Amino acid sequence: MCALNNHFSLDVQAASDKGNKRDHNEDMIMIGNTIFRDAKIRLEFDTQSQLTLAVADGMGGQNAGEIASEKVLESLLKFCENLDAGYSESHLRSIFNDWVIGIHDQLMDEGTQNPERFGMGTTLCGLVIYACQFYAMNAGDSRLYRFRKGILEQISNDHSLAAASDDPNIPSNIIVNAIGGGKQAYLDFEDITDRLDSGDVLLICSDGLSDMLSDTDIENILKNGGSAKSLVDAANNAGGKDNISVILATLECSALDED
C-alpha cells in the first residue's frame, strides 16, 4: 500500500439498472454525499478526507425494498458526515456496528407498524475511507472485489445460506444477514489498507451482477477495459434477472512534492 503521507485519489464510476425482469429498481448507490439510482457518474476524490462508497440491494414486497435501501443509505450518509476525527480502528468498528443495529431496528419497527413494509430489508456493501485507511464493510450478499494486474479477487464474504453451509446446490439468493428483514443484523468491518496498492480497481456490486456473471466473466470484462456500464450491460445480456448496481473505483497514489 502507498505510504500514508502520500496523496491518494479515486477515479470513480457507477451505474445502476433495473434489469430485464424487474419493473423497478430497488438498488441504491452512495458515493460520498450523493445517493442515487438509475444514474451514471464519474468523479474524482482526494481521499485525505473521509469518503464512503456503498451499494444497497433492497428486498421486500410493495416496493418496500426500495424504501429500505434508501433509508439505510440516507442514514449511513448522515452517520458518516458526523464522524469525528481520531477514532481507532476498534472504536470505528464498534460505532459502525452500533449504527447497523440501530437502523436495523428502525426498519423492523416500521415493518411491524406498516404491513405493506413487513419484512423489508437491504444488503449493504461498501468501502469507508477514514484517516487515510480503507475499510471494507458488508452485510448480506452484495460484494466487494479487488481487480489487480488482470486478477479479480473477492474481498467481502457472502452472508448467504449457500456460503454458510458450503453447499453450492442451495440457491445463492437465500441470505442469512441483512439490515431489516430478520431478527438481527451484523456488519463485517475490516481494515484492508495493506491489501491495496496504486492502480488497484475496487468493484462494489449487488448480486444482480454476480448472479448473472461468473468471477471469470467479470475479470475478462475488466481486463478489456470494461466500465461500470459495460458490466451492467453484460449482466443484462446474460439475463438481467435482478436489479444491477456497480461501482468501480481506481486507486491512484503519488508522493507529495517535497520542498
Side-chain angles (χ1 to χ4, degrees):
M1 177 63 194
C2 317
L4 289 183
N5 61 353
N6 286 1
H7 175 78
F8 304 98
S9 66
L10 280 180
D11 189 15
V12 181
Q13 53 178 291
S16 184
D17 189 82
K18 68 182 181 62
N20 297 330
K21 306 296 183 181
R22 307 286 189 177
D23 60 7
H24 65 287
N25 193 352
E26 295 190 336
D27 287 0
M28 278 198 110
I29 287 173
M30 173 176 160
I31 298 179
N33 61 0
T34 304
I35 298 173
F36 62 88
R37 130 185 327 121
D38 292 326
K40 295 168 283 293
I41 64 173
R42 188 175 181 87
L43 298 171
E44 290 191 3
F45 295 95
D46 181 344
T47 60
Q48 298 294 330
S49 58
Q50 190 273 329
L51 172 72
T52 300
L53 312 175
V55 168
D57 179 358
M59 55 192 176
Q62 301 291 328
N63 298 341
E66 180 178 347
I67 294 167
S69 61
E70 184 172 1
K71 283 182 175 292
V72 166
L73 288 192
E74 286 178 346
S75 174
L76 177 63
L77 190 157
K78 292 178 182 177
F79 173 77
C80 290
E81 285 180 339
N82 291 318
L83 284 177
D84 293 329
Y87 288 148
S88 66
E89 177 185 349
S90 60
H91 185 67
L92 200 63
R93 181 183 297 109
S94 176
I95 62 174
F96 265 88
N97 273 289
D98 288 345
W99 167 78
V100 163
I101 293 170
I103 188 62
H104 171 80
D105 289 345
Q106 288 181 35
L107 293 185
M108 294 296 292
D109 289 345
E110 187 165 343
T112 299
Q113 296 168 13
N114 187 339
E116 291 186 348
R117 298 181 182 179
F118 181 78
M120 72 174 179
T122 183
T123 69
L124 177 69
C125 187
L127 181 73
V128 177
I129 303 167
Y130 175 85
C132 296
Q133 298 294 107
F134 291 69
Y135 298 91
M137 63 176 177
N138 181 56
D141 62 351
S142 294
R143 291 181 176 178
L144 171 64
Y145 291 93
R146 183 193 70 189
F147 179 70
R148 174 188 290 174
K149 296 180 179 178
I151 298 174
L152 185 73
E153 177 185 351
Q154 184 177 344
I155 291 178
S156 61
N157 295 312
D158 292 348
H159 299 157
S160 64
L161 187 59
S165 61
D166 199 24
D167 184 351
N169 296 315
I170 296 175
S172 62
N173 62 350
I174 302 175
I175 60 175
V176 296
N177 177 41
I179 303 174
K183 292 183 178 180
Q184 57 186 2
Y186 63 91
L187 186 74
D188 287 347
F189 194 86
E190 177 187 6
D191 187 348
I192 60 169
T193 309
D194 291 342
R195 298 172 64 180
L196 302 179
D197 207 345
S198 185
D200 286 350
V201 178
L202 293 163
L203 164 64
I204 308 167
C205 64
S206 61
D207 67 345
L209 181 77
S210 56
D211 281 351
M212 290 291 97
L213 301 177
S214 68
D215 285 3
T216 300
D217 293 332
I218 298 171
E219 185 177 85
N220 287 333
I221 292 170
L222 294 176
K223 281 181 182 178
N224 291 310
S227 63
K229 183 180 184 304
S230 64
L231 286 168
V232 169
D233 289 344
N236 274 326
N237 291 336
K241 295 181 180 179
D242 200 353
N243 306 150
I244 310 153
S245 291
V246 172
I247 298 173
L248 284 178
T250 303
L251 173 65
E252 298 293 344
C253 307
S254 58
L256 290 170
D257 294 333
E258 296 182 1
D259 295 332

